[in-house]
Amino acid sequence: MATAGPAHAEKGFGSTDGETQEADSGKDGTVSVTVGGVVFDRSKNGSGNSAGALTSATSWTPPPCWYAPKYTPEQLQKEMEPIWDAGSTGYEWDAKQRDRYVNGHPYKDFNKDKAGKGYFWDSFVDEDFPPGWDSCDEQPFWVDQGDPPPADIENAVTPEILAELAYAEIRVPSTEVTLAPAAETKVNLPTWAWLDAADFKPVSVTASVPVIGISATATAEPVALRIQPGTQDAVTYPASGVCEINDGRIGEPYARGKANRTPPCGVRYLRSSGDGTYPLQATVTWKIEWTGTGGAGGDLPDGTFGATQDVVVQEIQAVNR
């Protein structure tokens, strides 16, 4: 804080000394965790060891740092005065800080006359330190309760920023597809591919800042599966390799009597994999929508999540009599 640099994401607004709030597990399984002044409700998120984070289908990325309420007047005073007294940051810097927060340029006596009517906001950083993590270099600034943050402060939490932070917390199930034939397939034999509809339902994460009463929910809904056979010696069904979701299912399970049909989603290999395998990649595209406080809402870039599985392809053996 001495240099007004970004704070780590694990330091959140909460107790009287600005420490992180603990995770609160409710009887219904809801888990809310404070990270960088933001509370995440992940109770409707994807779960399990195979669940993973989405990758944006565009160059868009969630905010690497953001601003959120962190200090009451008393908390900021308790944070800053020991630093000044230690003199470790130099007289000139300390004098400028005292002038800013004590002498009225622009805050007098840490804005104690406004206690209970607002908060000092400060920067927080994604704990993975992605590119741009150090771009939030504004000094702590005051925002009156009920007022929006200054328009010139980039990434100060609003419902839309919260939706973007919630996007980064979304986890979706594995995309390993079910294949028929399962153990191995044959050259020129259509292989059916599908995903369990029960696993591919919408998931969501809600991000909120309770002390200022704003929130946003980002919801991911599966819309398509892309099949990449792992070799150019293959034909996909449909030809684009993109299987659209239909009636809550991606693809169609194989059943007896369908051997002569073309699968709505699948692949036909034209050459044996020999002693090896082909790395079939299945990638699900998830559409992301968000809603927030005050009726705000919209779309965020689609996200993708994929997995690779090995496929054995053998020649059909002829029997000589």
Side-chain angles (χ1 to χ4, degrees), residues 211-302:
V211 295
I212 57 174
I214 64 171
S215 66
T217 299
T219 300
E221 182 178 1
V223 293
L225 167 70
R226 181 184 174 115
I227 296 288
Q228 294 173 283
T231 173
Q232 293 183 348
D233 294 316
V235 175
T236 57
Y237 303 104
S240 64
V242 178
C243 308
E244 303 290 342
I245 191 168
N246 185 25
D247 293 331
R249 174 186 289 125
I250 299 178
E252 180 182 328
Y254 176 79
R256 287 184 176 274
K258 296 181 179 180
N260 295 324
R261 287 177 49 189
T262 297
C265 182
V267 60
R268 177 166 59 89
Y269 287 98
L270 307 179
R271 188 184 298 272
S272 166
S273 60
D275 294 331
T277 59
Y278 289 130
L280 181 145
Q281 185 173 23
T283 303
V284 173
T285 297
W286 297 74
K287 182 179 180 180
I288 314 297
E289 297 180 332
W290 70 275
T291 57
T293 302
D299 296 328
L300 290 170
D302 289 349

Side-chain angles (χ1 to χ4, degrees), residues 21-187:
Q21 292 179 353
E22 296 296 326
D24 178 22
S25 298
K27 293 181 179 179
D28 60 354
T30 299
V31 178
S32 298
V33 182
T34 298
V35 180
V38 177
V39 176
F40 293 102
D41 182 348
R42 303 180 179 89
S43 61
K44 297 180 181 179
N45 208 5
S47 60
N49 294 334
S50 62
L54 291 170
T55 299
S56 173
T58 70
S59 59
W60 176 89
T61 57
C65 61
W66 60 92
Y67 296 94
K70 187 173 184 183
Y71 297 109
T72 65
E74 293 78 8
Q75 288 171 345
L76 185 60
Q77 180 181 18
K78 185 177 180 180
E79 178 75 18
M80 300 299 274
E81 285 188 338
I83 297 172
W84 300 340
D85 292 342
S88 58
T89 53
Y91 172 80
E92 183 177 357
W93 175 262
D94 292 348
K96 287 182 179 179
Q97 294 290 288
R98 285 192 176 94
D99 196 48
R100 175 177 174 82
Y101 296 110
V102 179
N103 299 333
H105 301 104
Y107 311 115
K108 186 174 181 61
D109 193 23
F110 294 96
N111 260 13
K112 288 182 181 177
D113 61 328
K114 288 190 173 184
K117 300 178 181 179
Y119 300 97
F120 280 103
W121 290 39
D122 197 12
S123 57
F124 297 90
V125 175
D126 183 327
E127 60 187 0
D128 291 328
F129 296 98
W133 68 268
D134 55 351
S135 60
C136 295
D137 55 5
E138 296 285 342
Q139 298 182 62
F141 55 90
W142 180 266
V143 179
D144 287 332
Q145 188 79 356
D147 285 353
D152 61 342
I153 302 293
E154 187 176 3
N155 289 352
V157 289
T158 59
E160 185 169 4
I161 292 293
L162 288 176
E164 294 174 354
L165 294 175
Y167 182 117
E169 297 297 316
I170 289 175
R171 299 294 180 266
V172 295
S174 168
T175 53
E176 183 172 353
V177 298
T178 302
L179 300 176
E184 59 187 43
T185 188
K186 304 294 184 181
V187 171

